[in-house]
């Protein structure tokens, strides 16, 4: 199944798209091309490929046959023309930023982002003469106020890491389109199975493929999906000459393996998280649960419109604040205390001191998340076991 077959469903395309075993001795799985460089048939053949006058691989920082299968599949699943796989989610974002922006330009970003993305946009990028204006993009009118003549990129996650705010992708895309500014959505939390930002009007999708796309906590990788023209720029400027964040063929293979079960995993993560969010919300020790499937979530209607299911991530605050949150983390036995997300194992962590430690206490207050917030990446274990572990830990704290 090498050609685009629009009539096939998501799961079928996640298993087959972009690879025909008969092209590779019938091998069911794509071979892992562990090679840095590629032989040219002649001096002329080599220079033709370099000049873009002939097709072919030259060096694995720029392209690799295993990686190409992954890129074709990710582009197909996100509904984009092309994709670029990278060595990390941060590598995907910096490939986009270093390519699109120059000194003097501005970015408008949602106020709540993964900690290292915030660190890049708030603390580091200013050294290169690029300013980021943060705005609460859950209210699209705020974007109009933040846009200026120097804005060259609008960036958001949705749901936002860690506190699960939902940004209306179609509404923000419409404003960006009118302003002529590329709109970039980090789709890590949803994956294309739950949400397809390009179909809603976004221009560029980025991923930390480390998370649900890989799905097994055994690799670090990223991806960008966009038009062919943009992906060419991100590949030949962003990765080839600016950040060098090329993915290894072996990690590309592992992500292709992960994608085969993506739809099943996202269904299960979402179903279990929905139930656990309700259980947690009903517990007397819990002050608030942030999950877009709950009636208490302020953007639940936008979430239902743009997400197929509500995903596997939950954030919560306990009545006892930070101390209670830490005691809860120490009280669980099945859930693993660890950062990252989207794995088979349920992971629990404390954003203010871990993934989001890049926000100073003052920035945490201004950008809207509390010291006591606890984040849970709901895994694929049995719901009853997770319920017993999490609710049991809360019950024990009350004693
Ligand atoms: C974490 N996150 O939250 P790499 N975009 C989003 C993310 O959550 C992350 C990245 C990009 C976590 C890592 C420790 C929405 C990462 C960055 O880690 O560079 O693949 O992706 O726990």
């Amino acid at each position: 199944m090498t050609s685009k077959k629009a009539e096939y469903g998501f799961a079928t395309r996640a298993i087959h798209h972009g690879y025909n075993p008969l092209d590779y001795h019938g091998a069911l799985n794509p071979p892992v091309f562990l090679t840095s460089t590629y032989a040219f048939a002649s001096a002329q053949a080599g220079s033709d490929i370099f000049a873009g006058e002939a097709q072919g691989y030259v060096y694995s920082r720029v392209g690799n046959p295993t990686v190409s299968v992954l890129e074709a599949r990710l582009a197909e699943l996100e509904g984009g023309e092309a994709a670029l796989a990278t060595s990390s989610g941060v590598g995907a974002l910096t490939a986009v930023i270093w390519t699109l922006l120059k000194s003097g330009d501005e970015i408008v970003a949602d106020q709540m982002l993964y900690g290292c993305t915030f660190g890049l946009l708030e603390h580091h990028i200013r050294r290169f003469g690029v300013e980021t204006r943060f705005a609460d993009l859950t209210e699209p009118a705020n974007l109009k106020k933040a846009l200026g003549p120097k804005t060259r990129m609008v960036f958001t996650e949705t749901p936002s890491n860690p506190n699960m705010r939902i940004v209306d992708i179609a509404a923000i895309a419409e404003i960006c389109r009118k302003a002529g500014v590329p709109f970039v959505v980090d789709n890590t939390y949803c994956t294309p199975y739950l949400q397809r930002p390009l179909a809603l009007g976004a221009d560029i999708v980025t991923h930390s493929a480390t998370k649900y796309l890989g799905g097994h906590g055994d690799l670090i990788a990223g991806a960008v999906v966009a038009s062919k023209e943009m992906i060419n720029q991100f590949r030949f400027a962003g990765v080839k000459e600016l950040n060098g964040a090329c993915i290894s063929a072996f990690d590309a293979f592992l992500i292709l393996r992960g994608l085969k079960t993506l739809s099943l995993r996202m269904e299960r993560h979402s179903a279990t998280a929905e139930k656990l969010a309700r259980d947690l919300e009903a517990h007397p020790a819990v002050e608030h649960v942030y999950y877009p499937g709950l009636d208490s979530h302020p953007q639940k209607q936008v979430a239902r419109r743009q997400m197929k299911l509500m995903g596997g991530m939950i954030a919560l605050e306990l009545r006892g604040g930070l101390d209670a949150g830490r005691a809860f983390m120490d009280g669980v036995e099945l859930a693993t205390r660890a950062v990252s997300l989207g794995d088979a194992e349920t992971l629990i962590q404390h954003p203010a001191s871990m993934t989001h430690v890049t926000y100073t206490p003052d920035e945490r207050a201004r950008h809207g998340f509390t010291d006591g917030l606890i984040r849970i990446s709901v895994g694929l274990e049995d719901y009853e076991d997770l319920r017993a572990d999490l609710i049991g830990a809360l019950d024990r704290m009350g004693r």
Side-chain angles (χ1 to χ4, degrees):
M1 183 178 165
T2 48
S3 62
K4 186 164 174 167
K5 296 261 173 86
E7 67 268 29
Y8 285 128
F10 186 97
T12 307
R13 288 176 291 137
I15 294 167
H16 293 282
H17 185 83
Y19 181 69
N20 183 351
L22 298 183
D23 293 341
Y24 296 97
H25 310 286
L28 182 67
N29 284 298
V32 183
F33 284 88
L34 292 177
T35 186
S36 52
T37 196
Y38 302 82
F40 304 130
S42 66
Q44 187 60 46
S47 53
D48 285 350
I49 298 174
F50 265 86
E53 284 159 13
Q55 290 267 314
Y57 293 98
V58 298
Y59 192 58
S60 284
R61 176 155 28 84
V62 185
N64 170 289
T66 315
V67 175
S68 297
V69 178
L70 173 64
E71 291 175 340
R73 201 163 292 176
L74 288 175
E76 170 66 24
L77 297 178
E78 281 287 3
E81 279 180 12
L84 171 69
T86 59
S87 61
S88 69
V90 170
L93 182 60
T94 54
V96 171
I97 288 179
W98 302 150
T99 305
L100 291 183
L101 286 104
K102 62 178 186 326
S103 172
D105 290 345
E106 288 179 4
I107 298 171
V108 175
D110 182 50
Q111 68 187 29
M112 203 59 253
L113 302 170
Y114 164 56
C116 292
T117 306
F118 175 74
L120 168 68
L121 297 184
E122 171 65 27
H123 300 139
H124 296 297
I125 208 169
R126 295 189 197 285
R127 289 190 286 121
F128 300 93
V130 174
E131 289 289 319
T132 306
R133 293 188 196 187
F134 291 95
D136 178 0
L137 297 187
T138 61
E139 184 43 71
N142 292 337
L143 175 59
K144 291 192 183 147
K145 287 183 228 150
L147 283 171
K150 296 178 180 169
T151 312
R152 295 287 174 268
M153 173 177 147
V154 173
F155 180 76
T156 196
E157 299 170 358
T158 179
S160 59
N161 184 354
N163 56 2
M164 304 301 292
R165 294 154 57 265
I166 303 290
V167 172
D168 184 335
I169 296 173
I172 297 291
E174 180 61 14
I175 299 169
C176 290
R177 195 185 56 76
K178 287 192 180 134
V181 178
F183 177 31
V184 185
V185 176
D186 183 325
N187 204 25
T188 300
Y189 262 43
C190 281
T191 81
Y193 186 64
L194 300 189
Q195 173 173 280
R196 300 199 322 143
L198 300 177
L200 296 166
D203 301 289
I204 300 167
V205 164
T206 59
H207 276 284
S208 170
T210 314
K211 313 295 176 349
Y212 292 106
L213 296 181
H216 296 77
D218 50 10
L219 60 93
I220 300 281
V224 188
V225 186
S227 67
K228 266 189 191 138
E229 194 187 331
M230 279 183 172
I231 290 297
N232 268 340
Q233 290 173 25
F234 301 147
R235 184 185 306 281
F236 291 103
V239 168
K240 181 179 166 218
E241 294 180 3
L242 289 165
N243 74 2
C246 55
I247 191 172
S248 89
F250 187 65
D251 288 345
F253 170 84
L254 290 176
I255 298 168
L256 283 164
R257 186 164 73 159
L259 287 177
K260 293 184 190 188
T261 54
L262 180 66
S263 60
L264 290 172
R265 289 185 286 109
M266 294 315 289
E267 296 268 354
R268 174 69 174 257
H269 283 300
S270 300
T272 309
E274 283 256 13
K275 289 192 268 187
L276 286 175
R278 286 180 215 293
D279 296 338
L280 290 165
E281 193 176 46
H283 197 281
V286 175
E287 174 81 40
H288 197 81
V289 177
Y290 302 86
Y291 185 74
L294 294 176
D295 284 339
S296 55
H297 195 286
Q299 294 101 27
K300 60 179 183 291
Q301 264 136 8
V302 183
R304 274 166 209 161
R305 218 166 44 230
Q306 70 188 20
M307 294 165 68
K308 182 182 166 78
L309 300 166
M310 296 300 121
M313 298 299 293
I314 298 175
L316 72 158
E317 268 150 30
L318 300 186
R319 291 203 191 280
L322 175 60
D323 291 344
R326 291 174 76 98
F328 174 49
M329 278 181 65
D330 285 338
V332 297
E333 288 165 3
L334 178 59
T336 304
R337 286 173 289 277
V339 300
S340 201
L341 58 109
D343 295 334
E345 295 80 1
T346 293
L347 307 178
I348 184 166
Q349 66 110 9
H350 175 232
S353 67
M354 296 175 185
T355 51
H356 291 68
V357 75
T358 47
Y359 285 76
T360 63
D362 182 46
E363 285 164 348
R364 287 206 287 279
R366 260 189 289 130
H367 289 250
F369 79 104
T370 59
D371 279 1
L373 195 79
I374 299 294
R375 190 187 76 180
I376 302 173
S377 169
V378 176
L380 300 174
E381 301 94 338
D382 288 299
Y383 157 71
E384 289 75 15
D385 293 334
L386 286 174
R387 185 183 193 286
D389 189 40
L390 298 172
I391 300 299
L394 290 174
D395 288 345
R396 284 192 294 277
M397 284 165 54
R399 279 186 213 134

